Amino acid sequence: MVCLGNICRSPLAEGILASKLDPTKFEVDSAGTAGYHVGELPDKRSMTTAKQHGLDITYQRSRKFVRSDFQTFDYIFAMDRSNYDNILALATTEQDRAKVHMILNQISPNSNAEVPDPYYGGDQGFENVYQMLDEACSIFAQKIS
Ligand code: 4NP
């Protein structure tokens, strides 16, 4: 799960998807395309929103997306178009490129809809992000389980 800062959207996405998959069979992680917040906890508003839905994401620490993530993971989900482009810029093979998807295309294939960045908004933005990620992750988890 990849966003810009790895403190708002992708930590929620990681927590939500991990909660829907068997941890003995799947590894779920998140990262940011920018390094501004490396080592930090998720944004308080993401942690609060997660908690309101029974998820603990306080174990997470922000990290930057790295080229070796293409080897480590089978699926790479971008939250928005800018994340998508920044991830693809690090891809070196066709196999790498094929792993990268827009997360909301799970709900509406080929729509390339974006998860809005809630960083500068209010708490409702985080709940909105939670709801769209929950729907997308439910669909994906069913597909691969
Ligand atoms: P995220 O949100 O990409 O969902 O983690 C942001 C977090 C931090 C910043 C921008 C977006 N920032 O500019 O510091």
Side-chain angles (χ1 to χ4, degrees), residues 38-103:
V38 167
E40 293 178 18
L41 281 162
D43 188 285
K44 279 199 172 60
R45 296 164 294 176
S46 282
M47 293 194 289
T48 300
T49 301
K51 196 172 173 187
Q52 284 166 350
H53 292 278
L55 297 177
D56 179 6
I57 61 167
T58 62
Y59 66 90
Q60 297 184 32
R61 297 295 179 276
S62 174
R63 73 171 180 90
K64 198 171 173 191
F65 182 85
V66 286
R67 188 167 268 147
S68 62
D69 285 322
F70 287 111
Q71 270 69 61
T72 311
F73 298 98
D74 298 314
Y75 296 89
I76 298 169
F77 289 109
M79 300 295 121
D80 67 30
R81 186 74 209 190
S82 157
N83 311 146
Y84 181 87
D85 291 342
N86 287 327
I87 298 163
L88 275 194
L90 292 172
T92 49
T93 66
E94 204 44 53
Q95 199 183 12
D96 290 351
R97 280 185 274 278
K99 292 183 175 184
V100 189
H101 311 275
M102 294 285 281
I103 183 69

Side-chain angles (χ1 to χ4, degrees), residues 103-109 111 131-137 139:
I103 183 69
L104 294 185
N105 282 0
Q106 294 300 311
I107 303 173
S108 311
S111 68
Q131 292 299 336
M132 46 183 85
L133 289 175
D134 189 54
E135 186 178 356
C137 289
I139 294 167

Side-chain angles (χ1 to χ4, degrees), residues 119-133:
Y119 188 62
Y120 294 106
D123 293 347
Q124 188 53 39
F126 286 74
E127 177 61 23
N128 183 40
V129 164
Y130 177 90
Q131 292 299 336
M132 46 183 85
L133 289 175

